[in-house]
Amino acid sequence: MRYSLPVLALALGLAACGSTNDRAPTFRGGAGGDAAYGRGLRALEAGRIDQANEYFACAAQFGGGYEVAWYYAGTTALELAEAGGEDAEGYREDGEYYLTTSGLAGWGASQAALAEYYHAQGNADEAVYWTMLYTNNVREMSLGLTRMDTETITEIRDSVSAEQFAETQLRAQQFVPQRIPPGRPSEECNAAIQGDRARDESDRPQRAVRPQRTSPPNQRRGQPGSPY
């Protein structure tokens, strides 16, 4: 049975956090979050997922305005989780945390990633919830962005009963974006930024441990794609 997804224009009116168009934030090559984010992109393009995760997690520590870094910190963490290893479960928790934080801030790419992630995990309620938020995201609609194909959206919304759908719809209607507050980068983060200025990315040693989250995972908590 199919159900129409409600339009939550008022609730999602604050969803345009971060960049305001469909282009990546300008990387100025300086210190701080821009440097960490730019290095994360270069590491991701080079296939160094663990290094990319470290840098995106660092950029996320700079708080609001770096929702795209939170998105990438989440998707790279989930990719590392899928690779297995003793840190796999920790990476999975990190991925859910970063994506949920930015998704709750109204970042459409994170909402779409969470919808597909929970669908793959068999969590129909969460999959429908994040699909509702994504398909009614005002910023995404205004930019004409399409991150989820119609077939997947239909499959997700048809995976719950009418009663479950109504309950999730009510929950979605109560959604209010939660802005990410200003962050306080850790010493490890600052050292990673400042210590690499004189060295090429390829000279950096591989990390042996996961970077720390930007805050305790006390909130409800993929596949990388265009985050804009």
Side-chain angles (χ1 to χ4, degrees):
M1 182 178 297
R2 297 185 179 181
Y3 312 99
S4 60
L5 295 175
V7 175
L8 310 177
L10 179 60
L12 294 175
L14 298 179
C17 301
S19 61
T20 57
N21 52 39
D22 198 30
R23 300 177 59 187
T26 301
F27 170 55
R28 296 183 292 275
D34 283 357
Y37 175 70
R39 286 174 177 153
L41 286 181
R42 292 199 296 273
L44 185 63
E45 291 170 356
R48 298 192 297 271
I49 307 302
D50 54 345
Q51 290 183 8
N53 178 255
E54 173 190 358
Y55 280 126
F56 289 132
C58 177
Q61 291 184 31
F62 286 82
Y66 285 93
E67 285 79 4
V68 62
W70 286 76
Y71 163 80
Y72 271 136
T75 54
T76 53
L78 290 181
E79 188 168 344
L80 290 168
E82 288 301 311
E86 61 180 13
D87 284 336
E89 185 56 33
Y91 275 124
R92 189 173 303 281
E93 292 179 2
D94 287 350
E96 293 177 1
Y97 167 70
Y98 283 114
L99 287 177
T100 298
T101 300
S102 50
L104 290 175
W107 197 251
S110 297
Q111 294 171 346
L114 285 166
E116 296 190 348
Y117 168 74
Y118 282 118
H119 182 53
Q121 295 292 311
N123 190 332
D125 287 339
E126 287 299 298
V128 171
Y129 176 69
W130 289 105
T131 299
M132 284 184 178
L133 296 190
Y134 171 69
T135 56
N136 291 281
N137 189 307
V138 173
R139 177 181 180 274
E140 298 288 297
M141 291 188 288
S142 67
L143 295 174
L145 301 177
T146 303
R147 308 180 196 280
M148 298 177 66
D149 59 70
T150 303
E151 182 178 344
T152 300
I153 292 174
T154 300
E155 185 176 322
I156 290 175
R157 69 187 184 190
D158 288 353
S159 65
V160 296
S161 66
E163 182 179 0
Q164 289 175 301
F165 188 90
E167 292 177 355
T168 305
Q169 181 177 11
L170 178 60
R171 177 185 166 197
Q173 289 173 332
Q174 297 171 341
F175 172 75
V176 176
Q178 303 172 17
R179 290 189 179 278
I180 300 174
R184 299 185 62 183
S186 64
E187 293 183 7
E188 179 187 37
C189 175
N190 286 324
I193 297 172
Q194 298 172 9
D196 287 351
R197 289 178 179 174
R199 292 190 293 171
D200 183 81
E201 289 288 327
S202 61
D203 294 331
R204 296 192 67 254
Q206 298 288 322
R207 285 186 56 85
V209 297
R210 296 184 293 116
Q212 295 298 306
R213 293 193 187 98
T214 60
S215 61
N218 55 3
Q219 305 179 42
R220 284 189 321 100
R221 299 228 237 269
Q223 294 66 19
S226 172
Y228 306 108

